[in-house]
Amino acid sequence: MINKNIYITLLAFCASLQIKAQQIPAPQQTKSVLILNATAHLGNGSVIQNSAVGFKDGKITLVADATTVRLAADAYDTTIDASGKHIYPGFIVANTTLGLVEIDAVKSSDDQEEIGTFNPNVRSIIAYNSESKVVETVRPNGILIAQITPRGGRISGTSSVVQLDAWSWKDAIIKENDGIHLDFPSNFRRSGSWFEPGIIEANKDYPKQVEEIAAFWGNAKAYNQAASKERNIIFEATKGLFDGTQTLYVHADEEKQIVDAIQLAVNNQIRKIVIVGGFEAYKAADVLQKYNVGVFLRRVHDMPSSDDEDVNLPYKMAKILTDKGIVVGLENSGDHERMSVRNLPFLAGTCAAFGLDKEKALQLITSNTAKLLGIDDTCGTLETGKDATLFISEGDALDMRTNKLTTAFIQGRKINLETFQTKLNDKFKAKFNQK
C-alpha cells in the first residue's frame, strides 16, 4: 500500500510539472527568400557591408553585394529588408549533452551515459530528445546546430551532429555517428573531494591506463583488418576510425595527455583526430601541426588550471593557437553545460576582446567548428550551395547586449524563436505596461 501511494504521488507530481513540448517544427521551405541590405558575416573571415542573401528549397542560392547585383523583379518570392541589421551563419556547438538530459534531478530524463568502460558502440543520437525544452532556449542566441555527445567511461560512445528544429532524432540528423569520444586519463590527480579538495599528485595508474587504451586500439585495428568468425560489436563500432570516415575526439587538457593520445592514435593508423578541452594545447602546438590535429577549446569563461598561469590565459588561448596555425573551435562542457550552451557566442566574443580578430572569433563557432566536425560542405558559412541555416540579428551577435535575433532559418525553414522565458517576459511586461 505504501509503494502504491508513493507511485500515485509521483504521478501527480510529474503531472504538476506540466512539461510541454517545444514549438511545432517549421514546415519545409516552399517560397524563396531574399534578405537585403544587412551586413553579412560570411563565417569565413569575409564581410559584405550591404548584402543580398537569397535561398530556395533550403539551400543558399545568392550571396552578393546588394549595391552591384542585378536580379529580376520576380527572382524571389519573399523579400526581407534587414537594413541596419546583421546576417550570420547558424552557430554550431560541439561536445554537448543538449537533448540527452532534461532535468538533472529526474533520473528517467537523464540518458547521457552508459555503464562500462569502453563503449564505442553507444550511439548518442538514438537518445536525443528533439522536443527538449532546453533545446529551444539556445536558438534565440543563434545556436542552430549541435554535436550531441555521450559521457562516461574511457570511451564514452559515438556522437552525431543535428539541427535544432525537428520532429524526431531521425529528422534532426545532419551527420550521423560523426566520431568516437575518448576520455584520456590524466597524468595527475587531486585527492579529497570537490568540497574539500586535497593535494595534486602524480597518477600512479597512468602508465597502466594508457596501456589499456593501446591494447584496445590494437585489438580493434586487428579485428577490422581481418575477417572474424565471431562478431564483436564493440570493435566493429570503431571501423570508421581506421577507414577515415569518423573522427577520434580525445578529451584531454594536459600537454602529456595530448601528446600521448595523438601518438597512440597515429601508431594505430587512426586518421582523423581532434582534441577536446586542450587547455595546454599551446604547449603541444608542434605535434598538433605535424599531425593536422584541431582543437575544441574548453569553456573560455574559466580560471587557469594552475596558480602560476596568467589569469587571462583562458581568454587568450584561441588567439595563441590560431596564430600557431591550428584550427580552433569552442566547446562549452562543464557545470550546467546544457543551460549555458546559449552563452556560446559570448565565449567567442571574449576571445575577440582578448586579441583575436572579430571575424576569426566568429569562425570559432561557425566554419572552424564545421570543419572539425566534417560538415563544412553543407554548414558553417554563408556560401551558395550550402544549407540556408542562418539568422538575422539587430546587432553584433558576439555581444550579449546587441545579439537580438529577429529571424532565423534552419535549412530554409523559418523557425519559432519563442521560449518559455520569452513568454514569461511578455507576460510580465504586459502586467507592468512595459513595451
Side-chain angles (χ1 to χ4, degrees):
M1 180 61 70
I2 293 177
N3 290 339
K4 182 178 180 182
N5 288 337
I6 292 174
Y7 179 70
I8 293 172
T9 302
L10 286 173
L11 285 178
F13 173 72
C14 291
S16 69
L17 292 177
Q18 296 182 340
I19 298 173
K20 300 177 183 177
Q22 66 180 54
Q23 292 85 12
I24 297 173
Q28 293 296 318
Q29 181 184 13
T30 56
K31 294 185 177 181
S32 56
V33 177
L34 176 65
I35 304 172
L36 290 173
N37 306 321
T39 299
H41 303 263
L42 306 189
N44 58 9
S46 301
V47 178
I48 301 176
Q49 294 297 333
N50 192 349
S51 66
V53 177
F55 48 96
K56 300 178 181 179
D57 300 322
K59 296 291 184 180
I60 297 174
T61 54
L62 174 70
V63 179
D65 188 330
T67 62
T68 59
V69 70
R70 295 291 182 266
L71 295 171
D74 59 350
Y76 290 87
D77 300 320
T78 303
T79 300
I80 299 174
D81 183 1
S83 299
K85 298 179 181 179
H86 299 255
I87 303 177
Y88 294 87
F91 296 155
I92 310 168
V93 60
N95 183 39
T96 179
T97 56
L98 198 64
L100 297 183
V101 183
E102 193 68 7
I103 304 172
D104 289 281
V106 179
K107 188 175 182 180
S108 59
S109 74
D110 184 338
D111 204 5
Q112 65 177 331
E113 64 181 82
E114 189 57 84
I115 60 173
T117 304
F118 292 92
N119 298 313
N121 53 306
V122 171
R123 300 170 61 238
S124 64
I125 187 63
I126 62 173
Y128 174 67
N129 177 18
S130 62
E131 295 187 344
S132 168
K133 292 194 74 172
V134 184
V135 168
E136 70 178 24
T137 67
V138 308
R139 301 186 305 187
N141 275 0
I143 298 143
L144 307 180
I145 299 172
Q147 181 196 36
I148 309 304
T149 306
R151 299 284 188 259
R154 183 64 65 208
I155 293 182
S156 308
T158 302
S159 59
S160 290
V161 183
V162 301
Q163 50 85 5
L164 300 181
D165 184 63
W167 285 101
S168 69
W169 64 264
K170 291 183 179 180
D171 298 329
I173 291 173
I174 291 178
K175 186 174 184 180
E176 188 172 5
N177 303 332
D178 69 291
I180 292 173
H181 293 256
L182 167 65
D183 188 3
F184 208 80
S186 174
N187 195 40
F188 297 93
R189 59 174 46 162
R190 184 187 289 274
S191 60
S193 61
W194 67 270
F195 60 88
E196 192 175 349
I199 62 172
I200 297 176
E201 55 190 7
N203 176 10
K204 297 178 181 179
D205 295 327
Y206 181 78
K208 178 182 177 182
Q209 292 167 341
V210 173
E211 183 57 37
E212 288 175 349
I213 297 171
F216 180 85
W217 289 143
N219 290 333
K221 182 176 71 171
Y223 175 88
N224 285 290
Q225 288 179 341
S228 177
K229 295 181 180 179
E230 296 184 5
R231 185 183 182 189
N232 186 313
I233 61 172
I234 293 177
F235 290 153
E236 188 176 296
T238 66
K239 182 179 179 180
L241 297 179
F242 302 106
D243 64 19
T245 58
Q246 286 182 305
T247 299
L248 175 64
Y249 297 97
V250 180
H251 296 242
D253 278 316
E254 302 162 9
E255 178 186 9
K256 183 170 177 57
Q257 280 182 295
I258 293 169
V259 173
D260 287 351
I262 292 174
Q263 198 60 60
L264 271 182
V266 170
N267 289 346
N268 286 280
Q269 300 174 344
I270 294 175
R271 302 183 186 182
K272 298 179 182 178
I273 311 164
V274 171
I275 300 299
V276 180
F279 186 75
E280 293 187 353
Y282 68 102
K283 297 180 180 179
D286 291 342
V287 176
L288 294 170
Q289 289 176 320
K290 179 179 179 180
Y291 295 107
N292 193 29
V293 176
V295 178
F296 279 128
L297 277 180
R298 75 179 198 185
R299 188 185 302 176
V300 299
H301 287 178
D302 203 350
M303 297 294 289
S305 58
S306 63
D307 295 339
D308 59 351
E309 291 171 334
D310 181 356
V311 69
N312 292 324
L313 183 58
Y315 312 142
K316 299 175 181 177
M317 190 66 67
K319 176 173 171 54
I320 292 171
L321 292 177
T322 298
D323 288 349
K324 291 179 180 293
I326 296 165
V327 179
V328 180
L330 298 182
E331 60 104 4
N332 198 44
S333 61
D335 294 337
H336 313 294
E337 64 171 276
R338 290 171 300 283
M339 307 307 173
S340 62
V341 163
R342 61 182 181 270
N343 293 325
L344 180 71
F346 313 136
L347 302 185
T350 297
C351 295
F354 281 81
L356 193 61
D357 175 80
K358 179 61 74 70
E359 297 306 316
K360 287 185 178 180
L362 175 64
Q363 289 179 262
L364 299 177
I365 54 176
T366 54
S367 58
N368 284 9
T369 296
K371 182 177 181 180
L372 294 175
L373 296 180
I375 58 171
D376 52 316
D377 57 335
T378 58
C379 305
T381 57
L382 299 178
E383 295 180 81
T384 56
K386 292 194 174 183
D387 288 351
T389 299
L390 51 91
F391 65 88
I392 303 171
S393 173
E394 290 184 2
D396 182 353
L398 304 189
D399 186 338
M400 66 173 64
R401 298 168 298 180
T402 58
N403 183 9
K404 297 179 181 178
L405 270 65
T406 58
T407 313
F409 300 88
I410 292 180
Q411 296 172 339
R413 299 176 287 111
K414 185 177 180 181
I415 66 170
N416 190 332
L417 292 174
E418 274 192 333
T419 69
F420 182 67
Q421 288 81 4
T422 62
K423 291 177 181 177
L424 284 177
N425 185 52
D426 293 340
K427 174 182 177 180
F428 287 99
K429 275 185 176 181
K431 178 179 180 180
F432 295 107
N433 296 319
Q434 294 181 3
K435 294 183 179 180

